[in-house]
Amino acid sequence: MKNILEYLPPAVPSASFMLEDGQISGIRIEKKKASVRLVSKFSEAAFDFSAEEWPQREEILPAVERALLSLGNPDRAAVLMPDVVFRMQSLDLEGFPKSEEEKEKIVLWQARRNLGHPCPDLRVRYFPLEREGDFTRLWAAAAPRDLLGGIEKAFADKGCHVGLIASPSMVLHGLLAKRGIMRPEGLELFLNITLRSITFLFARGGEPVFFRTKELRHGEDTGDRFAQEIRLTLAFQKEKLGNEGLKRVCYRLAGEDLFFPREEFEEGTEIVSLEEALPGKSPGGLPGHTLMPLLASLEEE
């Protein structure tokens, strides 16, 4: 998922923050050749997000200030926001222009038309999947412009430039592809289950082909709802992607009390947890489901 919402390549920050399930967490690392040393870490209860509502400036600023102070006030950082903030999809375009300005206009128009984001004012980033003659297939990601700008400004007001904004699924898929865990054949699924949402990211040959994320309504049972969403999405996936069976599922459980409904997948599907796929995570006093997305965001280039 390289470069989906990357604003200032190729400099990679040494600090990363994640906003997920009402928590803000962060790490700061020091890279020396092939090794990574965790310099500091941070996690506390903070503001919350939904697909259509996000916190006001007065809620964001104090939490950002505390988070930055806890990591020694880095001047550059990556920020991960909940999957439900984003919409992603492949877009098929004919006669894609060469002008960057015209490209942006066309992709934004297509995103508003096809992505079904509840917010009309979007910021979009994309990268090409396929080109042949006048035909171009892109993978596009969109999020509310005001929200992204507000987060960037909250950090900038405290002297920190946000060099990357993405979501846990986006950076973890990128890391799995980079490490060769997303295989070059067959249909695969990265499944991100948090206390408040479930996200499906299907890939073929390591490249994304279908994205879906659903929020949990207040009071809903996570087990029943997520099992239902898996059944619905797998049925839709077969219809949309030509009845192609899943070869492999890699899943992340972002909470100690969550479980993976293995029985919802067909027999013979290879199933692996993120911890199994990426063993040997750096120690840091943060749970692995929090630490791994933060580390993955710092590997984006």
Side-chain angles (χ1 to χ4, degrees):
M1 304 293 290
K2 189 176 180 181
N3 294 334
I4 284 182
L5 286 170
E6 193 170 347
Y7 298 132
L8 196 60
V12 180
S14 62
S16 176
F17 297 91
M18 180 167 66
L19 309 164
E20 185 176 69
D21 290 344
Q23 291 281 127
I24 181 168
S25 305
I27 60 170
R28 190 169 185 175
I29 64 170
E30 183 181 76
K31 293 183 180 181
K32 287 188 177 179
K33 296 182 180 179
S35 66
V36 172
R37 183 176 74 89
L38 191 68
V39 176
S40 52
K41 61 186 183 297
F42 166 82
S43 186
E44 71 170 33
F47 45 85
D48 209 352
F49 282 93
S50 74
E52 300 182 37
E53 294 183 19
W54 44 88
Q56 299 300 310
R57 178 180 172 80
E58 56 269 20
E59 297 176 83
I60 295 175
L61 276 175
V64 168
E65 184 174 17
R66 288 193 302 273
L68 287 169
L69 184 62
S70 296
L71 298 190
N73 288 317
D75 59 4
R76 287 182 57 82
V79 174
L80 302 180
M81 296 197 297
D83 286 329
V84 295
V85 166
F86 298 87
R87 295 291 185 273
M88 289 178 257
Q89 186 179 315
S90 62
L91 301 175
D92 293 348
L93 306 172
E94 295 287 347
F96 198 42
K98 294 182 179 180
S99 160
E100 291 301 322
E101 184 178 349
E102 290 301 315
K103 285 180 183 178
E104 186 173 345
K105 287 180 182 178
I106 287 177
V107 173
L108 185 58
W109 182 80
Q110 288 281 356
R112 286 172 176 155
R113 180 171 172 243
N114 294 311
L115 290 179
H117 203 297
C119 175
D121 189 13
L122 299 174
R123 186 189 290 183
V124 180
R125 288 295 182 270
Y126 61 90
F127 68 93
L129 296 173
E130 180 183 348
R131 286 175 177 154
E132 186 175 346
D134 288 338
F135 172 79
T136 302
R137 174 169 290 138
L138 305 172
W139 184 256
R145 184 179 298 276
D146 287 350
L147 173 58
L148 300 189
I151 292 292
E152 289 169 331
K153 189 171 190 315
F155 278 84
D157 286 348
K158 301 301 176 183
C160 181
H161 174 80
V162 175
L164 168 75
I165 294 185
S167 78
S169 291
M170 293 158 73
V171 296
L172 286 169
H173 175 272
L175 183 61
L176 290 167
K178 186 177 179 180
R179 298 283 177 88
I181 296 163
M182 304 301 280
R183 295 176 180 172
E185 72 286 330
L187 185 67
E188 299 179 302
L189 168 64
F190 177 70
L191 187 64
N192 188 35
I193 300 176
T194 83
L195 295 170
R196 302 179 189 181
S197 67
I198 182 168
T199 298
F200 303 80
L201 181 52
F202 290 88
R204 185 187 293 112
E207 292 189 336
V209 293
F210 179 65
F211 171 88
R212 182 174 186 255
T213 183
K214 296 295 288 185
E215 280 185 291
L216 190 71
R217 296 187 186 94
H218 181 70
E220 283 186 308
D221 177 77
T222 55
D224 289 346
R225 172 66 190 283
F226 290 161
Q228 180 187 41
E229 289 298 338
I230 289 171
R231 289 194 293 272
L232 289 171
T233 303
L234 291 180
F236 182 67
Q237 162 256 316
K238 282 193 171 183
E239 179 182 339
K240 182 178 177 65
L241 302 178
N243 204 33
E244 184 178 354
L246 272 176
K247 298 289 186 185
R248 181 180 174 92
V249 178
C250 181
Y251 68 90
R252 170 186 181 245
L253 299 179
E256 304 296 338
D257 298 327
L258 294 169
F259 72 94
F260 178 75
R262 214 171 265 265
E263 67 278 3
E264 300 299 333
F265 294 87
E266 293 181 357
E267 188 176 350
T269 304
E270 184 181 358
I271 296 175
V272 61
S273 70
L274 189 64
E275 288 82 359
E276 293 169 323
L278 297 171
K281 58 184 180 294
S282 302
L286 289 175
H289 60 77
T290 297
L291 186 60
M292 277 188 281
L294 291 168
L295 288 171
S297 71
L298 297 176
E299 290 203 20
E300 289 289 293
E301 296 178 1

